[in-house]
Amino acid sequence: MFRRTALAAGLTALLAGPAAAQTQITIQHPLPLNSHYGAGATALKEAFERAAGNRYRVVIQRNDNEREAIESVQIGTIECVITSTGPVGNFVPDTRNLDVPFLFRDSAHARGVLDGPIGQEMLGRFNARGLAGVAWMENGFRHLTNSRREVNNPADIRGLKVRTMENQVHMRAFSTLGALPTPMAFSELVPALQQGTVDGQENPIPVIVANNLNQVQRFLTLTSHVYSPAVLICNPAMLARMSAADRTAFQEAARAGVAANRARVTADEESGVEELRRRGMTVVTTVNTAAFQEALAPAFAEYERTLNAALLRRIRDWQPN
């Protein structure tokens, strides 16, 4: 009897060994699994677990409070976060330059800047803030929605209470247009729209679709006023504990995550507007971008004074090789 018990215990320990040896990496992001963030996180998870021979287990969790998630990565209670850059400026001030309205011409311009020297230099600045910037992902171009009226020109924004991220660059832009910017965490957005605390919000099409914001918003205007990057941020101590080979595998997996994330953004932007129309939203597609840029002239002048004017010029002047 004793020998059988000992043998069973030995087999149990043997079988439990590999599972016990797994290292868990938690990645949080603020959107549903079926979203562009979810696509990126899932591709990273699958690529890294496969490359590391299942010695790592990547757990994906939703956390609508991006600032809270970044703080958790900073102190090490979770390992990684995929977040828009909106709240990142509170941790790495240089990223605020990326939030300037009408800075990027199109997605190819934005991706080229972020994947090239400018983007890599900026990722390097995360280290001084107790964070590791791993890779640039994507949220997409931001558009305006509201529950009160069609927005066809800058004057139509005047007086609207618009939820923004906790980001001074975004808030300055909307206050310049005569709106009443109301910063709040994404987790508070839907209740605020339902209760009329705010009239509108601004987000990329994939975010509007994934979160069914059409249920609390009637009007959509394709302003494309800001390109919104996303960034994969990890805890530096977690990366330092990895072997060099595992860190390389993780970086490669992050690149797979970037590719999946951007592909989903492209697909969602192509189909999302029609889907929102189908759900009953009124969509304004023709926007006088020059009029918005002219109305934002005082904000642009302030950005030149308070942000990195030389960096903004480098970004605007970028051209593909």
Side-chain angles (χ1 to χ4, degrees), residues 15-285:
L15 291 171
Q22 272 191 329
T23 299
Q24 179 169 307
I25 295 175
T26 298
I27 300 177
Q28 291 188 348
H29 66 77
L31 294 178
L33 182 62
N34 184 20
S35 67
H36 53 297
Y37 283 0
T42 299
L44 186 158
K45 167 186 170 68
E46 293 173 352
F48 185 56
E49 288 180 347
R50 184 169 58 249
N54 290 318
R55 288 180 292 104
Y56 287 85
R57 176 172 176 256
V58 178
V59 175
I60 302 169
Q61 297 175 347
R62 181 172 181 175
N63 182 349
D64 286 356
N65 192 319
E66 292 175 297
R67 181 168 184 153
E68 176 186 277
I70 298 167
E71 289 171 346
S72 296
V73 170
Q74 198 172 43
I75 63 177
T77 53
I78 64 169
E79 286 73 36
C80 300
V81 60
I82 300 172
T83 174
S84 65
T85 52
V88 177
N90 298 303
F91 300 85
V92 186
D94 275 354
T95 61
R96 290 178 180 147
N97 291 279
L98 300 174
D99 294 311
V100 169
F102 302 108
L103 179 63
F104 295 100
R105 298 181 295 274
D106 50 32
S107 294
H109 179 195
R111 293 172 183 179
V113 167
L114 295 173
D115 293 343
I118 295 173
Q120 300 315 298
E121 290 166 16
M122 199 168 288
L123 288 179
R125 297 190 180 105
F126 283 63
N127 294 327
R129 304 289 174 163
L131 298 163
V134 177
W136 293 108
M137 291 193 177
E138 187 166 88
N139 213 13
F141 279 92
R142 305 180 78 85
H143 307 284
L144 179 68
T145 72
N146 82 97
S147 58
R148 288 179 57 186
R149 56 179 176 261
E150 283 190 21
V151 171
N152 294 285
N153 56 65
D156 295 331
I157 294 180
R158 189 168 299 277
L160 290 179
K161 294 177 289 184
V162 179
R163 177 267 175 182
T164 70
M165 290 185 284
E166 298 171 90
N167 180 299
Q168 292 298 321
V169 176
H170 288 201
M171 292 170 66
R172 181 69 175 92
F174 278 96
S175 62
T176 299
L177 293 172
L180 303 171
T182 306
M184 63 178 66
F186 189 77
S187 56
E188 302 170 25
L189 174 58
V190 171
L193 291 169
Q194 289 171 329
Q195 295 162 15
T197 306
V198 292
D199 303 311
Q201 61 87 51
E202 45 87 52
N203 258 304
I205 295 298
V207 176
I208 297 168
V209 172
N211 289 278
N212 299 308
L213 295 185
N214 53 280
Q215 295 177 358
V216 286
Q217 296 280 266
R218 180 178 172 189
F219 302 102
L220 164 65
T221 301
L222 301 182
T223 48
S224 297
H225 55 276
V226 169
Y227 171 81
S228 181
V231 59
L232 171 65
I233 306 171
C234 293
N235 178 268
M238 180 274 291
L239 294 174
R241 287 192 295 269
M242 287 184 178
S243 68
D246 285 345
R247 275 196 301 276
T248 298
F250 188 79
Q251 191 69 56
E252 288 294 324
R255 280 192 275 272
V258 170
N261 160 257
R262 289 178 176 174
R264 179 61 184 268
V265 169
T266 299
D268 284 353
E269 286 184 340
E270 289 174 352
S271 64
V273 172
E274 193 53 43
E275 172 62 18
L276 291 169
R277 275 203 189 95
R278 189 189 67 78
R279 295 181 188 179
M281 290 195 85
T282 297
V283 182
V284 175
T285 57

Side-chain angles (χ1 to χ4, degrees), residues 3-18:
R3 291 176 65 184
R4 285 199 300 271
T5 303
L7 180 61
L11 286 171
T12 300
L14 183 64
L15 291 171

